[in-house]
Amino acid sequence: MAEPTDRLPPLNALRAFEAAARRLSFTQSADELNVTPGAISQQIRQLEDYAGTPLFKRTGRSVLLTDAAQASLPLVREAFERISEAGRIMQSPARKGRVMVSCAPSFAAKWLAPRLDKFHQLHSGTEAWISADTGLTDFTTADADFAIRYGRGSYDGLKSEKLLDETVLPVCSPAMLDGPDAIRRPEDLKNHTLLHDESTEVDPSCPDWASWLRARKVDGVDASRGPRFNQAILVIEAAAAGRGVALAKQAIAASDLASGRLVAPFADGSTSIDFGYWLVWPKGRHLSPDVREFIKWIKAEAAQTEVVGV
C-alpha cells in the first residue's frame, strides 16, 4: 500500500499551477483555462495544501514564484507534455488521415493555403487542416501535429527544421509600371506612397524603407511617409490594390507575384534577412506516417520557391 506521501497531486490543480506560473497571473491563466480567477485561486490553495508550502508570493495584482514552485515547474511542464503525447499515441488510429499544422495567419493565407490543393491531389486519403494563430503554439494544449514558426529556429524543448529562408523586397501593382509616374528606378519611389509592414516580429536584420533606401544610396525619398500595417498580409493586399509600394516578405508575396497580381519592380531589390520559417514539434513526439508525408511534401514545395524581379 502506498504511503501518504506517495499520492499524486490533483491533476486540475497542477494544470492551474502550470498556467498561473507561466503567465504570473491568476486572471490570465483563468482566461486561458476558461474558468474564473477564483477557481484558479482555489486550485492553487489545494495544491499548496498538498505540498505543505506556499507556491506563489502575492504582490498586489501580480504573483511571484516561490523557490518550491520554480524548482517543480519544469517537471510539471514535462509531465504534461508526456501526458499529452501519450494521449496522441492513444488517438493515433482515430487521427489517421488527418494532419493539423499551426502557423501565422499571413503565412497560412498567402503561402500554405494556396498550395494545399497540390497536396490533396497527391494524397487524397489525407486531410490537411490549418490552425492560423498569431500566438506561439502551446503543444501541451494545442491539437497541432507541428507548427511553422518565423524566427531563428532555436526553441526550448522543440525540434526544428528549416523550411524557408526569407528575403524582403519592394512589390507593387503592375499598373504602377506604366503612366507618367512609372516606376523604373528606386528614385521613382518619391512619386508613390510607401507601405510599411510593422509586424510584431523583431528581426534587427530586416530592413525598413529608410535602411533599404540608404543601402542603395537613394536620396530624395521620404521614408517616413505612408500607412503602416501590423500584419504582413495587410501590406500585401494594400499593394495589390494599388495603394502604394510595399516592402514585403518574399514568402508572403510569392503567390501574388506568381499570379501577376503583384510585381517586383527592381531586379536587385531583394535583401536577405536572418529570420526564416521553421518546422517545429516537441522533442520526442511520435510523428504519424501522414504527418511525415506532409512534412516531406511541404519541404519539397519550399525548395521550389523563387522570386525574381521584372
Side-chain angles (χ1 to χ4, degrees), residues 22-23 102-104 133-139 141-142 147-151 155 158 201 280:
R22 175 165 32 86
R23 294 181 174 273
S102 172
C103 58
D133 196 338
T134 56
L136 294 181
T137 304
D138 181 358
F139 285 102
T141 57
I148 301 172
R149 287 189 180 176
Y150 179 66
Y155 306 103
L158 300 180
E201 304 94 353
V280 301

Side-chain angles (χ1 to χ4, degrees), residues 150-152 166 168 199-208 249 272-276:
Y150 179 66
R152 288 193 172 91
E166 185 58 289
V168 172
S199 304
T200 55
E201 304 94 353
V202 180
D203 177 5
S205 73
C206 186
D208 56 12
K249 295 181 178 69
S272 296
I273 60 177
D274 293 342
F275 277 24

Side-chain angles (χ1 to χ4, degrees), residues 8-209:
L8 292 174
L11 186 60
N12 287 339
L14 281 177
R15 174 60 78 191
F17 164 71
E18 190 280 331
R22 175 165 32 86
R23 294 181 174 273
L24 293 179
S25 168
F26 285 10
T27 300
Q28 292 180 21
S29 59
D31 290 340
E32 176 183 323
L33 299 179
N34 198 28
V35 298
T36 65
I40 294 292
S41 296
Q42 183 178 2
Q43 295 284 3
I44 296 302
R45 283 196 298 271
Q46 183 182 1
L47 193 59
E48 288 176 332
D49 288 343
Y50 167 88
T53 186
L55 298 173
F56 292 93
K57 302 173 185 176
R58 281 75 169 178
T59 57
R61 293 186 176 181
S62 62
V63 295
L64 299 175
L65 300 182
T66 65
D67 290 343
Q70 289 178 342
S72 59
L73 179 59
L75 296 176
V76 171
R77 286 178 173 167
E78 181 182 356
F80 276 118
E81 289 171 2
R82 289 180 176 273
I83 291 171
S84 177
E85 185 60 20
R88 291 180 59 82
I89 293 173
M90 292 176 187
Q91 295 171 346
S92 290
R95 295 173 65 90
K96 184 175 176 58
R98 191 193 84 184
V99 175
M100 173 75 82
V101 54
S102 172
C103 58
S106 293
F107 188 85
K110 288 298 187 180
W111 195 92
L112 182 54
R115 291 170 164 79
L116 282 185
D117 279 349
K118 294 182 185 178
F119 176 78
H120 290 137
Q121 289 171 7
L122 293 171
H123 305 277
S124 59
T126 304
E127 292 183 353
W129 296 3
I130 300 176
S131 175
D133 196 338
T134 56
L136 294 181
T137 304
D138 181 358
F139 285 102
T140 62
T141 57
D143 194 34
D145 293 296
F146 69 97
I148 301 172
R149 287 189 180 176
Y150 179 66
R152 288 193 172 91
S154 178
Y155 306 103
D156 289 343
L158 300 180
K159 181 177 180 180
S160 60
E161 293 184 6
K162 172 68 77 68
L163 177 65
L164 275 173
D165 290 317
E166 185 58 289
T167 59
V168 172
L169 74 167
V171 298
C172 63
S173 166
M176 291 188 171
L177 303 185
D178 298 318
D181 291 328
I183 298 175
R184 294 286 183 266
R185 305 172 303 148
E187 288 77 7
D188 297 331
L189 292 173
K190 67 179 181 293
N191 301 316
H192 297 274
T193 300
L194 301 182
L195 307 175
H196 303 261
D197 181 354
E198 296 202 343
S199 304
T200 55
E201 304 94 353
V202 180
D203 177 5
S205 73
C206 186
D208 56 12
W209 272 117

Side-chain angles (χ1 to χ4, degrees), residues 202-249:
V202 180
D203 177 5
S205 73
C206 186
D208 56 12
W209 272 117
S211 59
W212 188 92
L213 292 164
R214 188 166 54 250
R216 286 154 182 81
K217 299 180 171 56
V218 177
D219 296 321
V221 179
D222 183 0
S224 66
R225 61 186 169 82
R228 286 160 166 74
F229 304 86
N230 68 349
Q231 289 286 331
I233 190 173
L234 300 178
V235 183
I236 296 298
E237 290 304 309
R243 291 186 58 190
V245 184
L247 195 57
K249 295 181 178 69

